[in-house]
Amino acid sequence: MPLGKVLLSAEQIASRVGELGLRIRRDYEDQPLTIVAILQGAIVFLGELLKHLGAGVTVELIEASSYGTATASGGQVTLRRYGRLDVRDRDVLLVDDIADTGRTLAAVARQLEAMGARSVRTCVLLDKPSRREVDVELSYRGFEIDDVFVVGFGLDHAGRYRTLPYIACLDEPARKE
Ligand code: IMP
Ligand code: MG
């Protein structure tokens, strides 16, 4: 699928992530904070966000995938890499690239609560509210976008485009009648 128009430039993203970082830092002040980021989509957003969070933050990475068609996530969420994770009595900030149906965030948040986290908040770079199927509270959110499939800044399509420094739409190929 060809790359479409640029939705968010590298500068727009950096500036907004800086604002989110400042808010998070103010909200947690000197409380120890554990970031749990969801591989692989969150990696670039996480790196940018961490620049603003100060030295007292712990970072854990987990993996989650939902299966569906190439550009729409499905109902089933599979979670991996929980083995080492210890979030008992910790304040956790769950970081992901995008809230689409909301299933991934809801599943991971539920799991973290079951593992004894003291609090779980969520932080996403992008939000597609029109696609939501599961009610999930977004504590920190970068940008609200329409129902378009986007790539770049960590977001991929079939493993490609993650390394773009900006976010662009992916154009569906014109259908033959
Ligand atoms: P949810 O569980 O439906 O909210 O799906 C969230 C996951 O689907 C995200 O973590 C992304 O990995 C993926 N996803 C959803 N929308 C997009 C998109 O527009 N581009 C790339 N990945 C997406
Ligand atoms: Mg993801």
Side-chain angles (χ1 to χ4, degrees):
M1 266 190 263
L3 213 51
K5 72 167 178 154
V6 174
L7 205 62
L8 298 163
S9 70
E11 293 73 22
Q12 280 175 295
I13 299 169
S15 152
R16 182 68 182 135
V17 175
E19 289 172 8
L20 290 182
L22 201 64
R23 271 185 46 210
I24 292 166
R25 201 167 170 172
R26 282 202 192 122
D27 288 354
Y28 286 91
E29 288 180 1
D30 293 326
Q31 268 172 269
L33 172 63
T34 300
I35 301 250
V36 174
I38 304 179
L39 293 173
Q40 308 197 38
I43 49 171
V44 183
F45 175 41
L46 173 69
E48 187 66 34
L49 190 64
L50 289 180
K51 294 180 192 171
H52 304 278
L53 297 187
V57 166
T58 314
V59 182
E60 302 284 354
L61 304 173
I62 60 161
E63 230 181 286
S65 42
S66 50
Y67 296 97
T69 62
T71 54
S73 60
Q76 201 65 27
V77 178
T78 306
L79 309 175
R80 286 183 299 274
R81 296 198 196 205
Y82 274 93
R84 287 182 315 107
L85 194 60
D86 183 4
V87 293
R88 269 172 303 167
D89 303 322
R90 304 283 307 189
D91 291 305
V92 175
L93 182 62
L94 183 54
V95 172
D96 203 1
D97 50 1
I98 185 166
D100 187 35
T101 65
R103 289 184 190 281
T104 305
L105 283 173
V108 178
R110 202 165 45 233
Q111 179 75 20
L112 295 170
E113 274 156 11
M115 291 167 82
R118 183 163 68 177
S119 69
V120 180
R121 285 188 190 159
T122 56
C123 176
V124 293
L125 179 63
L126 304 173
D127 179 22
K128 280 190 210 173
S130 61
R131 295 255 315 154
R132 199 74 85 253
E133 291 172 16
V134 171
D135 196 26
V136 61
E137 196 187 324
L138 302 179
S139 320
Y140 306 94
R141 179 179 82 147
F143 302 92
E144 185 177 313
I145 62 169
D146 292 336
D147 181 11
V148 285
F149 196 83
V150 291
V151 292
F153 209 78
L155 292 108
D156 77 306
H157 176 251
R160 293 186 64 201
Y161 304 116
R162 265 192 223 289
T163 50
L164 293 176
Y166 51 84
I167 290 175
C169 301
L170 206 60
D171 283 343
E172 303 272 353
R175 277 204 204 112
K176 287 191 186 130
E177 295 301 326

